[in-house]
Amino acid sequence: MPNGYISSLEEVVELRKRLDKDGKKLVLTNGAFDLLHVGHVRYLTEAAALGDSLVVAINGDESVRELKGPGRPINSAEERAEMLRALRCVDRVVVFEDRRASGVIEAIHPHIYTKGGDYTPDSLIDEEKQLLDRLGIEIRILSLVPGKSTSSTLAKMSEGDGRPKRVAILGSGTGSNARAILQAAADGKLGGEVALVLSDVADAGILKIASEFEVPAIAIDPGSKKGGHLTDAALKEIHDRLQAASIDLVALAGFMRIVREPLLSAYAGRMLNLHPSLLPKHPGLHACKKAIDAGDTESGCTIHLVDAGVDTGEILRQEKVPILRGDSPDELQARIQSKEHVAYPEVIAERLAEIQPC
Ligand code: GAR
């Protein structure tokens, strides 16, 4: 959808060919660039200095909504492109609609691809990394300006708007992660409050922990559908309770059920899950046993957005642990959990800072 500020992919491919012929380099980066701040400007200036033309691929409006949650983007793709093109360092802006940048990277085939400093070459998703390696594209990770991010800008803007953001935790088990999240909230480190804990297991430890922290704790009858599925009635009850409690973000912590509509749409970009493996490896049940049986030498935890698949949503953070010779699944799980207890509250805090209250 080219406008005056948005270039078509074909134009950029032509630009790449021209630069190549003249022995010059095209630099590509991508992102939402929803609310320009000085961190973006310095990052883009640094990226442009690596080559001769900087192309910025921005996510289309629909994919920003999926990635960042309802209420985003704040600025439409056309407006974002207009702001970016006003920067001296930006030569072209293209829009891509996929959640992942692989398609646009493959089409443009830049000489250099840059990412912000919260990435390392290892944390690029496999699909992107393999593509970049296969095409021989140089990857450059650039440092970010501390304290200057879209999340911190939005957090500052929403300070003083009255109510703290509200988190619900859904879990089926012991609740050690729920405890870590509740403690982070009690210590003022979450950027919001835990307003509700729900479980599909009537006597789950997680409900007792919620009561310790004086947070409403409710058991939901999951119904008797087979294969870990909640009945439609159970899903509706969870949905209605979350809505009634004005929940802004849902954290699944050991919730051993598959989440379906109407929850997925109501909390798109606002529902996180924790999984004890380095996804996409070993999704589903018994992840620790699967990693040991596969002879893996490392495992870890993944925190990701929930989508319609089983453990398939956008990955927000991974933490690795070694698998030691003779480890039992329980020993591995305990090692992974020590990472989860630190990482999960941090990622929840980051996400809360990014979203607007519902
Ligand atoms: C956590 O280790 C989490 O990774 C895992 O359940 C545990 C819950 O522990 N989640 C899954 O297996 C999801 N498929 P907790 O109740 O002590 O927080």
Side-chain angles (χ1 to χ4, degrees):
M1 44 151 154
N3 69 359
Y5 303 99
I6 298 174
S7 302
S8 69
L9 215 46
E10 293 73 27
E11 285 172 63
V12 173
V13 170
E14 276 310 309
L15 170 67
R16 198 264 186 212
K17 282 186 196 153
R18 279 203 307 278
L19 288 167
D20 204 44
K21 224 166 73 200
D22 298 343
K24 293 184 170 169
K25 289 190 171 169
L26 186 149
V27 184
L28 176 71
T29 192
N30 68 283
F33 296 96
D34 191 10
L35 203 56
L36 273 194
H37 51 75
V38 71
H40 285 141
V41 175
R42 289 186 198 162
Y43 168 81
L44 293 170
T45 304
E46 207 184 324
L50 296 171
D52 300 285
S53 269
L54 176 65
V55 176
V56 183
I58 59 172
N59 295 85
D61 294 342
E62 188 52 36
S63 69
V64 176
R65 198 189 66 79
E66 264 181 51
L67 290 165
K68 307 279 184 192
R72 302 285 301 275
I74 291 163
N75 293 296
S76 69
E78 287 81 3
E79 291 163 342
R80 287 179 281 134
E82 185 173 345
M83 289 187 280
L84 284 165
R85 286 296 304 270
L87 299 179
R88 254 201 317 255
C89 55
V90 175
D91 293 292
R92 298 285 189 282
V93 176
V94 288
V95 177
F96 67 107
E97 293 298 342
D98 293 343
R99 289 167 63 119
R100 308 250 192 256
S102 321
V104 81
I105 296 172
E106 181 146 33
I108 296 174
H109 196 163
H111 298 89
I112 300 169
Y113 175 68
T114 71
K115 274 279 188 195
D118 46 353
Y119 282 83
T120 65
D122 282 346
S123 71
L124 287 172
I125 57 165
D126 280 351
E127 182 191 322
E128 270 174 24
K129 189 162 173 11
Q130 281 163 15
L131 177 72
L132 292 162
D133 288 347
R134 177 163 63 76
L135 298 178
I137 297 169
E138 187 184 340
I139 309 170
R140 295 291 291 264
I141 309 294
L142 306 182
S143 53
L144 293 178
V145 181
K148 295 290 177 193
S149 66
T150 303
S151 328
S152 63
T153 307
L154 288 171
K156 274 192 204 151
M157 288 168 71
S158 66
E159 268 167 23
D161 71 352
R163 83 169 172 78
K165 291 177 189 157
R166 292 162 70 82
V167 176
I169 307 174
L170 269 62
S172 311
T174 322
S176 65
N177 281 286
R179 182 184 288 287
I181 299 163
L182 285 155
Q183 192 58 54
D187 295 342
K189 292 181 180 159
L190 205 66
E193 63 186 9
V194 180
L196 184 63
V197 173
L198 297 178
S199 181
D200 57 314
V201 178
D203 60 352
I206 192 171
L207 294 174
K208 296 185 191 84
I209 291 173
S211 307
E212 255 181 58
F213 283 82
E214 299 182 349
V215 168
I218 300 171
I220 304 285
D221 177 0
S224 51
K225 226 169 168 217
K226 286 191 185 131
H229 290 282
L230 293 159
T231 56
D232 289 347
L235 283 159
K236 181 167 184 326
E237 184 180 354
I238 294 172
H239 172 268
D240 292 353
R241 288 198 182 271
L242 295 173
Q243 295 280 307
S246 303
I247 295 300
D248 300 305
L249 183 141
V250 180
L252 307 184
F255 189 60
M256 307 311 265
R257 302 277 180 174
I258 293 161
V259 174
R260 294 185 288 120
E261 295 295 3
L263 289 173
L264 292 174
S265 303
Y267 294 96
R270 294 169 178 265
M271 187 179 285
L272 310 187
N273 185 40
L274 174 66
H275 185 75
S277 80
L278 297 173
L279 291 171
K281 278 188 146 184
H282 314 308
L285 297 174
H286 312 300
C288 292
K289 181 172 186 313
K290 286 178 189 163
I292 293 169
D293 291 350
D296 294 352
T297 53
E298 65 174 6
S299 182
C301 64
T302 302
I303 298 157
H304 64 93
L305 290 175
V306 176
D307 66 8
V310 176
D311 302 324
T312 52
E314 166 88 7
I315 292 175
L316 303 178
R317 171 93 71 96
Q318 292 192 308
E319 295 290 339
K320 293 179 181 172
V321 300
I323 299 181
L324 306 180
R325 189 185 288 271
D327 260 349
S328 68
D330 284 351
E331 284 165 334
L332 176 57
Q333 173 103 6
R335 197 171 305 121
I336 290 173
Q337 281 191 336
S338 65
K339 295 281 186 186
E340 292 179 346
H341 297 160
V342 177
Y344 206 12
E346 283 178 7
V347 175
I348 292 171
E350 286 163 13
R351 196 71 188 171
L352 274 181
E354 290 223 332
I355 60 175
Q356 297 297 312
C358 283

